[in-house]
Amino acid sequence: MLRRQIATVDLSTGEVSKAPLPPEWRRRYLGGRGINMLLLYSRYPPVDPLSPHNPLIFGCGLLTGLPGFGSGRMNITAYSPASGNLGDSNVGGHFGPELRFAGYDHLIVTGRSPHPTYLLIRDDAVEIRDASHLWGLNTLETQQALRREVGDERLRVLAIGPAGERGVRMASIITGPKDAAGRFGMGAVMGSKNLKAVAVKGSRDLTVAHPRELLSHIRQQYEGLWKRKWIQTLGRLGTPRLMAPANEGGWLLTRNDQGGPLGERGRAIYAESLEPYSLGMASCFGCTVHCRHRHLVKGGPRGEGPEYSVFAWMGANLEVLNTEFIIRASDLLNAYGMDVMDTMVMIAFAFELYQRGIIPRSLAGMPLEWGDGEAVLALIHQMAHREGLGDILAEGSYSLKRLPPEAEPYLMRVRNALVGPAPGGRVVKSFGMGHAVATIGGHLHRNRPGVDVLRLPPQVLQELYGGPVSSDYRSYEGKARMVWWHELLYAVCDSLGFCRFQTVFNSPHAPQYPEYRELIRLALGWDMSVEELREAGERIYVESDADIAAAS
């Protein structure tokens, strides 16, 4: 597993090069997000995110592709069009493992093609192909078209839709029906390169050091996980299960954070409201949890999801208390290739500006009334195609340059750049602190201590975090320790290629450093200590650009 390659594709010249991944990088940065950070900062100085000089880096985790811990995840990294700073999105599904099966742990795309292209990777063959016939298709249509063109239904594809083609600053990259490298505008970077898709099919094995012991260990972990209530609930209700505690705990946004909790009205969009539309549950590669719904609404396509984020940012924040509208919005966002959170924050922003008379109906093109699902769907379409008011909203925080100055206080953002702080920052003190200090400000999953809302006994929290932490999520006591602890653990989690939901995001009994250490030993033959893993997480998080450049 350690004899992996980095492939670099220059779309301006058409050159493709390959190089072995230096073994010393593994001990220091593991893989995935860690090595992506190393590559970005050591090789590419900050640039205009939409220029040809911005690299787009795809990185698989050190253990991506193993049958366990939801190991289908990878990171996509570049300078962000949404903020002008670091952009880094984590995505699941099946693409990451397939890239590893083709022999590559990292793929770097630079330059800009003079015409629409896509990459086709099949083991040693890395081809740049014309994609003019794909330009304008949505993400699902693009994936289907490429499978037909290549003649392989098992081809794994990352694609952009109309939003990425038009440089929408919250454009995402989609694989499968809904797996999204969603935030920070990675789809806009891909579109700026005239790169419509990356398709991969691999046929190589991942060789492990101790295969029998590894399978036995993973089986034991599965058996343990499935005894946990939080895993059973995820496998039945998916992430929308969080709607009930969020509403009843008082940390849902409503009306662009003007209103309080939905109260009894919120029950209309609790997780159980999905059941009439659900066709069963699905999972990413290497996952036993199956946390996403397969769904069907009348007149719509079969899809997957929606996740908690759509219920919270559309259902609660925009007060669209109709599950069918939420499903339709989720499907539309995935097809257009747009981030759920940032898109819904911008639409809530527009609704409040309309409410306060800051933008007229002539600009909006329609009334923007809280709870109007049709208006939400119309604005999604306008943003994806940069039409009317949607052309302004598609600029994210940069939209303020095109709006009256009195609009500025109503845009929910972090560090005056990235839109979309998560619900709960005022109520759950660790959430608010995490938004502010994350390596990417406002990043929901960079350091979020999800267990803070479980009201665990103080002794459990002290044992977990190594110091006193209040069990009251409204308290500030010990929350800096929590956020720092989670920041490091999640850096390791992303760099190994594991799912956040199968670590201490949901439960103090979930896998963490000792389990990761054992998996590394069995898969790679390394005897890496818990402390070394922690140090790797801290290195990924805190090293300066100069230190990273020197280490490379």
Side-chain angles (χ1 to χ4, degrees):
M1 289 181 65
L2 293 176
R3 296 181 179 179
R4 318 300 296 172
Q5 294 190 88
I6 304 173
T8 302
V9 178
D10 186 332
L11 293 176
S12 295
T13 65
E15 294 179 3
V16 177
S17 61
K18 303 172 188 177
L21 198 64
E24 60 271 19
W25 289 7
R26 291 299 198 186
R27 286 277 184 173
R28 294 181 62 81
Y29 301 98
L30 303 175
R33 170 180 153 193
I35 289 179
N36 276 17
M37 296 298 105
L38 171 66
L39 290 167
L40 181 70
Y41 285 125
S42 66
R43 296 186 177 183
Y44 303 98
V47 293
D48 176 352
L50 296 178
S51 79
H53 304 294
N54 189 13
L56 188 62
I57 306 172
F58 305 80
C60 301
L62 177 65
L63 300 180
T64 294
L66 290 182
F69 292 91
S71 62
R73 306 201 71 86
M74 62 180 292
N75 279 59
I76 303 178
T77 306
Y79 293 105
S80 168
S83 68
N85 299 312
L86 173 65
D88 183 56
S89 294
N90 186 271
V91 59
H94 298 263
F95 184 93
E98 200 69 34
L99 187 61
R100 293 205 87 196
F101 300 154
Y104 308 97
D105 273 16
H106 294 265
L107 168 67
I108 305 172
V109 181
T110 62
R112 175 184 292 149
S113 172
H115 56 81
T117 60
Y118 74 92
L119 298 182
L120 178 61
I121 301 172
R122 289 181 288 190
D123 295 338
D124 289 333
V126 180
E127 304 174 58
I128 302 173
R129 291 191 170 191
D130 183 74
S132 300
H133 59 301
L134 303 174
W135 209 251
L137 299 183
N138 70 36
T139 62
L140 302 180
E141 293 166 341
T142 300
Q143 293 178 68
Q144 293 162 358
L146 283 175
R147 291 189 182 108
R148 289 193 299 269
E149 184 173 316
V150 176
D152 190 340
E153 284 299 312
R154 296 185 65 83
L155 190 73
R156 303 299 182 183
V157 181
L158 284 168
I160 60 170
E165 294 174 2
R166 289 170 171 80
V168 173
R169 290 186 186 268
M170 65 283 299
S172 56
I173 302 172
I174 299 288
T175 180
K178 65 163 285 295
D179 291 295
R183 303 202 68 196
F184 318 116
M186 298 299 97
V189 176
M190 198 160 157
S192 73
K193 297 182 176 302
N194 273 331
L195 181 62
K196 179 65 175 177
V198 181
V200 62
K201 187 67 170 70
S203 63
R204 294 174 173 169
D205 294 333
L206 292 180
T207 304
V208 298
H210 306 288
R212 291 184 182 275
E213 292 179 62
L214 178 66
L215 289 175
S216 176
H217 177 71
I218 290 171
R219 188 179 300 114
Q220 290 172 12
Q221 293 297 322
Y222 277 174
E223 291 170 356
L225 284 171
W226 264 108
K227 293 176 183 177
R228 302 294 181 185
K229 183 178 179 181
W230 58 276
I231 286 287
Q232 295 171 8
T233 306
L234 262 179
R236 183 171 63 89
L237 298 176
T239 59
R241 73 183 182 87
L242 299 170
M243 283 299 295
N247 184 44
E248 293 160 19
W251 63 82
L252 276 181
L253 296 175
T254 55
R255 297 195 175 200
N256 204 33
D257 209 15
Q258 295 179 80
L262 293 167
E264 285 299 311
R265 293 189 301 146
R267 293 185 177 277
I269 53 171
Y270 279 8
E272 290 78 6
S273 68
L274 264 173
E275 291 179 354
Y277 306 97
S278 181
L279 304 175
M281 306 299 284
S283 77
C284 299
F285 180 95
C287 182
T288 186
V289 178
H290 293 71
C291 73
R292 83 263 302 273
H293 289 270
R294 289 192 175 105
H295 67 247
L296 180 66
V297 296
K298 186 175 181 180
R302 291 175 183 262
E304 290 185 3
E307 303 301 328
Y308 166 75
S309 53
V310 194
F311 279 89
W313 273 262
M314 178 183 178
N317 198 20
L318 293 164
E319 294 194 0
V320 179
L321 306 180
N322 183 308
T323 297
E324 185 164 322
F325 267 110
I326 292 171
I327 294 172
R328 290 185 185 279
S330 177
D331 287 346
L332 191 60
L333 288 163
N334 292 331
Y336 284 154
M338 297 173 68
D339 177 63
V340 167
M341 299 179 195
D342 289 12
T343 302
M344 291 304 162
V345 166
M346 294 307 299
I347 291 176
F349 172 53
F351 272 42
E352 184 166 4
L353 295 185
Y354 182 85
Q355 169 196 323
R356 296 180 181 278
I358 296 173
I359 58 173
R361 180 168 176 172
S362 58
L363 176 59
M366 71 195 103
L368 301 180
E369 305 288 350
W370 300 108
D372 187 345
E374 293 289 359
V376 173
L377 296 177
L379 281 179
I380 292 172
H381 177 85
Q382 286 186 20
M383 291 173 70
H385 294 88
R386 284 192 171 272
E387 299 170 349
L389 176 60
D391 185 37
I392 298 174
L393 300 179
E395 288 292 288
S397 62
Y398 294 92
S399 66
L400 294 174
K401 296 179 179 179
R402 299 171 60 184
L403 290 167
E406 56 266 34
E408 192 272 339
Y410 305 108
L411 181 59
M412 297 292 126
R413 53 194 176 137
V414 176
R415 298 179 190 165
N416 293 323
L418 189 71
V419 303
R426 294 181 179 178
V427 178
V428 186
K429 304 310 179 188
S430 62
F431 289 6
M433 182 179 184
H435 302 160
V437 303
T439 48
I440 305 178
H443 195 312
L444 176 59
H445 282 172
R446 212 67 165 187
N447 54 26
R448 190 179 183 90
V451 295
D452 198 7
V453 300
L454 301 180
R455 295 187 180 274
L456 298 168
Q459 63 270 24
V460 172
L461 293 174
Q462 176 147 348
E463 182 178 348
L464 179 63
Y465 295 116
V469 174
S470 173
S471 59
D472 181 357
Y473 57 76
R474 295 176 178 84
S475 168
Y476 291 95
E477 182 188 355
K479 300 312 164 74
R481 176 179 288 108
M482 287 185 85
V483 168
W484 174 243
W485 190 94
H486 282 270
E487 186 85 55
L488 302 192
L489 181 69
Y490 295 166
V492 172
C493 182
D494 288 345
S495 300
L496 294 178
F498 291 152
C499 178
R500 182 77 80 256
F501 293 157
Q502 294 184 45
T503 187
V504 189
F505 182 84
N506 283 306
S507 167
H509 304 296
Q512 50 170 301
Y513 295 115
E515 289 81 7
Y516 297 163
R517 174 188 182 278
E518 182 64 2
L519 274 174
I520 290 171
R521 184 186 72 82
L522 295 174
L524 306 179
W526 287 2
D527 188 16
M528 196 172 193
S529 69
V530 166
E531 188 54 39
E532 284 180 297
L533 276 175
R534 281 201 191 95
E535 289 174 358
E538 187 166 359
R539 185 177 298 115
I540 292 162
Y541 174 66
V542 303
E543 280 202 359
S544 69
D545 296 2
D547 289 337
I548 290 176
S552 67

